[in-house]
Amino acid sequence: MRPEPWRVFTRIGVLLVGTLLGFALLQSWMRGVEAAATVDVLHLLGAGSVSRGYQASIVVGSGTHGEFAAVLTAPCSSLASLLALAGLAVLRPPAARGRLALAVVAAMALVFLGNIARITASVGVGLLVGPSALVLFHDWVGSLFAFAYTLGGFLVMMWLLLPRDGVALDDLCLVSRSAGVRRES
């Protein structure tokens, strides 16, 4: 094989290892951040009976349904989606670094905020209807939320990175070649 494919495969290998390491190292911290943010949002919405529990849990002290805890596990976190978006940014269309940074930050913000909305909605349903409704909502509606905000984040990133209408393909290819990317005929 020519050296170019090996560079690509090496880059993808480093990306995969970095993503796995990032998830292993950051998942506990991230779940704590998301639990704290969810409690803050619920307090802003007037749910005073909600508090932060041990590590990544949210304690709901609802009078009609008793007290229960919602534990944020690793799959409940947006970290996997955030790392996936960061990884996909490596395989992006050619763009200026500032534009790339804006696109990645916008996509990641959408995913993070979407996950906080998902967790808040799940805990809110549990607060209003009870813990079994929280589980049902989390499993069904929450999965749709996660799919929607991850796809939405990716689409926002691509929308910010892809060329606008009116940019000729030849001009885009010239930008690619000037950025160090070779185009084969």
Side-chain angles (χ1 to χ4, degrees):
M1 289 185 132
R2 294 184 324 253
E4 290 85 11
W6 283 110
R7 276 191 237 147
V8 170
F9 289 129
T10 301
R11 193 173 180 184
I12 290 172
V14 169
L15 173 71
L16 290 173
V17 170
T19 301
L20 292 172
L21 281 174
F23 187 80
L25 295 173
L26 296 173
Q27 62 94 13
S28 181
W29 172 80
M30 187 64 170
R31 290 183 297 130
V33 168
E34 289 170 325
T38 300
V39 168
D40 290 344
V41 169
L42 286 165
H43 285 171
L44 286 173
L45 295 173
S49 64
V50 177
S51 62
R52 175 102 190 270
Y54 179 70
Q55 289 185 342
S57 64
I58 300 167
V59 177
V60 179
S62 175
T64 56
H65 303 290
E67 187 173 276
F68 63 91
V71 179
L72 274 67
T73 61
C76 294
S77 176
S78 63
L79 183 60
S81 295
L82 294 173
L83 291 170
L85 285 173
L88 288 171
V90 172
L91 308 172
R92 72 199 180 276
R97 291 188 197 272
R99 193 164 146 197
L100 173 63
L102 172 68
V104 172
V105 167
M108 292 176 116
L110 180 69
V111 168
F112 179 78
L113 294 173
N115 196 50
I116 297 304
R118 179 184 69 86
I119 298 168
T120 301
S122 295
V123 173
V125 165
L127 217 129
L128 296 173
V129 185
S132 48
L134 180 154
V135 172
L136 184 64
F137 184 89
H138 170 272
D139 289 350
W140 289 97
V141 178
S143 296
L144 293 174
F145 265 65
F147 176 75
Y149 66 66
T150 303
L151 181 60
F154 178 72
L155 292 175
V156 164
M157 184 170 73
M158 289 294 103
W159 180 74
L160 290 170
L161 288 177
L162 289 174
R164 302 291 178 249
D165 286 341
V167 176
L169 183 59
D170 289 338
D171 293 342
L172 180 61
C173 291
L174 287 174
V175 170
S176 296
R177 279 189 277 171
S178 69
V181 178
R182 282 183 36 186
R183 186 180 82 179
E184 299 205 16
S185 302

